[in-house]
Amino acid sequence: MPVRGVEQKAFDVIQSINAAGRVDEIFGIVQSVAAEFGLPHFLITGVPMPGQTLSEHVILNGWPQEWMDRYNSKDYVHIDPIANNIRRSSKPFSWSEVVYTKKKHSRGYRIMKEAADFGMAKGYTVPIYGYDGYQACVTMGGPEIVSSKKDLSALHIVSLVAFSAAKELCGQHRQSSQDDFKLSEREIEVIKWISVGKSNWEIGMILGISDKTVEKHVRAASQKLDVANRAHVVAEALRNGLIH
Amino acid sequence: MGESPHIKMEVNLTMWALQRRPVMQFSSFNQKTIDVSQCEEPHPFRDGIHIVTQANAIHYADQQTQAYRLRYRVFVEEQNWQALKRADHLDIDKFDRPSAHHVMVIEGGKVVGYSRLLPTLEPHLLSDVYPELAGKPIPRAQDIYEWTRYCVAPEKRGGAAIGNVGSILLCGVLEYALKKGISKLTMETNPLWITRFFDFGFNVDPLGLPMTFDDEPVVAMSIEISEKAVKKCRRLLRIKNMIFETDNEIVSGSASAIM
């Protein structure tokens, strides 16, 4: 494909990912793009630490189910040379760049042979590093790499956007906001009462605590929400889905 | 001035990104945010984030030189950007004009972190040095700035990203952009920052395909500045209180004078 064409395609795909409202929509978009670039078997996942399993970190599974079952049952993630390379590299890489020999890495070598049996002889992997040190990746496998360097660079940014969007949509159902802000149950209760117009004194009566204590909770919540006053506390709590 | 044919990555945050120790390191900036309008004179030696523009540059002569020296240490001595090499060991280029905004993290009187913001209506890096990174029209407007030369003194790196100088600098730039009414920041940086800014809640817009410079991928992108995302970034990086010194024009809110 001429350069302009690939670039425009990447922009269009990114736009459709950003417009997606559900995780399965993103799955469909990624699946279609990956197939178009000849690497149909994709996986978007966090990278498990030693002792953890792959399945608890998977975000989007585009692998043949039989392969995924095999991979999990044998805990391949900790011996897979590709997975190991993710921990060593900050840049995307083709699987052919990863060195593993039959002699020195016999188990890894065997895994790659098995992957080839499932249609993943070649591949391209994009490592991801979060601000707090978490690791993830978007990895794509196929029978061979037909893509040019430009094509792969398009896959690179499409993968990053797909990961971010999928991760966000997956996390939407969690009580993530509350954990992020670390507001106590009491602080949330106080804010709810303020939102219906109660004074500190009234809230104290309702909850059976002194108004000084109520004030303390308001101050603590204000600090955690990074706001300056009482009215703002309510607005911010609403905005972040902590109260309704 | 001759153009640099040797293009390198502007914002190298890879090392920052690879820090994975779980130990939290808290910022040493524990004081409350100070409203600069209360101060008679700017205090160039106070620990905190200082914004230096032509309006207050006269008070920051020494710090500005320190900033150019820090840039040189990081980009020429560490990262080997040959094109920036100078006999005086200062990194000063044609974009260090009066219209440039310098964001400095100062600790113990020393500049330990730095970023530069350039107005996009004037020649800047994406328009003049790396136009090939742009596959879309380059964002240029009065309220769009380009974020360049992000660097942290080597001795101030390490440990967890959360709460350290690098994070303070990051939050400082974003907070400043918010205060100033900047709608977007463009940058040329490691693609890893696409997911990271997404994590912080920013809308990220890649402006072109990543290209490889000296074995490192670089992508041009823009982020939309929103209060929600700037706050989330501070929260996630545990930057509670920031001491902010800006030029008085900003504090008094005379918007026309700023841009």
Side-chain angles (χ1 to χ4, degrees), chain B residues 42-62:
Chain B
H43 295 250
F45 301 106
R46 196 205 307 273
D47 280 5
I49 300 159
H50 294 250
I51 314 296
V52 180
T53 63
Q54 53 189 316
N56 61 355
I58 197 160
H59 302 285
Y60 286 89
D62 176 56

Side-chain angles (χ1 to χ4, degrees), chain B:
Chain B
M1 235 190 270
E3 201 52 277
S4 152
H6 188 100
I7 298 161
K8 284 242 194 181
M9 194 166 65
E10 258 298 323
V11 184
N12 184 353
L13 294 156
T14 310
M15 289 317 296
W16 187 94
L18 290 176
Q19 288 157 12
R20 286 202 287 287
R21 276 166 49 199
V23 175
M24 291 224 297
Q25 209 175 308
F26 289 100
S27 155
S28 62
F29 300 160
N30 278 326
Q31 300 134 53
K32 284 213 269 273
T33 304
I34 292 174
D35 180 357
V36 178
S37 61
Q38 307 296 325
C39 306
E40 292 288 320
E41 295 280 332
H43 295 250
F45 301 106
R46 196 205 307 273
D47 280 5
I49 300 159
H50 294 250
I51 314 296
V52 180
T53 63
Q54 53 189 316
N56 61 355
I58 197 160
H59 302 285
Y60 286 89
D62 176 56
Q63 285 73 16
Q64 190 64 63
T65 306
Q66 280 190 47
Y68 290 139
R69 177 79 197 107
L70 173 64
R71 281 165 47 173
Y72 199 84
R73 275 177 71 194
V74 173
F75 297 114
V76 180
E77 291 169 10
E78 260 190 275
Q79 293 186 29
N80 215 24
W81 295 24
Q82 293 298 318
L84 302 180
K85 235 177 171 150
R86 284 164 56 123
D88 61 2
H89 289 233
L90 299 174
D91 165 27
I92 305 174
D93 69 7
K94 64 181 184 179
F95 303 107
D96 288 305
R97 285 192 228 92
S99 57
H101 298 245
H102 308 273
V103 181
M104 303 180 194
V105 178
I106 292 178
E107 199 177 282
K110 293 210 169 347
V111 176
V112 294
Y114 172 89
S115 278
R116 178 180 65 178
L117 299 186
L118 299 174
T120 52
L121 285 178
E122 295 178 34
H124 54 291
L125 291 167
L126 187 55
S127 64
D128 276 41
V129 183
Y130 316 128
E132 66 272 29
L133 282 177
K136 291 180 188 177
I138 294 173
R140 303 185 87 148
Q142 203 180 39
D143 62 351
I144 299 180
Y145 277 68
E146 184 185 52
W147 187 348
T148 71
R149 294 290 205 283
Y150 173 103
C151 57
V152 176
E155 61 273 16
K156 287 291 174 184
R157 298 179 209 153
I162 290 175
N164 68 5
V165 172
S167 300
I168 291 166
L169 177 60
L170 197 87
C171 292
V173 170
L174 294 170
E175 193 81 30
Y176 174 58
L178 186 67
K179 277 188 201 310
K180 226 176 124 52
I182 290 176
S183 66
K184 285 187 183 168
L185 285 174
T186 60
M187 61 195 87
E188 302 81 51
T189 183
N190 191 309
L192 285 170
W193 279 95
I194 292 175
T195 58
R196 217 164 283 136
F197 279 119
F198 259 118
D199 278 346
F200 295 143
F202 292 94
N203 288 335
V204 182
D205 185 22
L207 299 172
L209 297 183
M211 298 177 89
T212 301
F213 295 131
D214 250 349
D215 219 27
E216 293 295 328
V218 183
V219 72
M221 56 193 237
S222 79
I223 59 171
E224 258 178 61
I225 304 300
S226 73
E227 185 172 3
K228 187 168 182 187
V230 172
K231 282 196 153 167
K232 185 173 181 183
C233 187
R234 273 181 62 172
R235 202 175 71 244
L236 294 179
L237 294 179
R238 311 281 200 272
I239 306 300
K240 277 196 92 146
N241 299 310
M242 290 198 295
I243 299 168
F244 231 76
E245 303 265 359
T246 66
D247 63 58
N248 292 323
E249 284 174 320
I250 293 162
V251 169
S252 67
S254 48
S256 54
I258 300 171
M259 316 205 208

Side-chain angles (χ1 to χ4, degrees), chain A residues 36-58:
Chain A
E36 226 179 291
F37 284 89
L39 300 169
H41 306 299
F42 71 95
L43 184 65
I44 300 184
T45 179
V47 175
M49 299 292 287
Q52 296 178 333
T53 64
L54 175 65
S55 40
E56 58 193 277
H57 293 276
V58 170

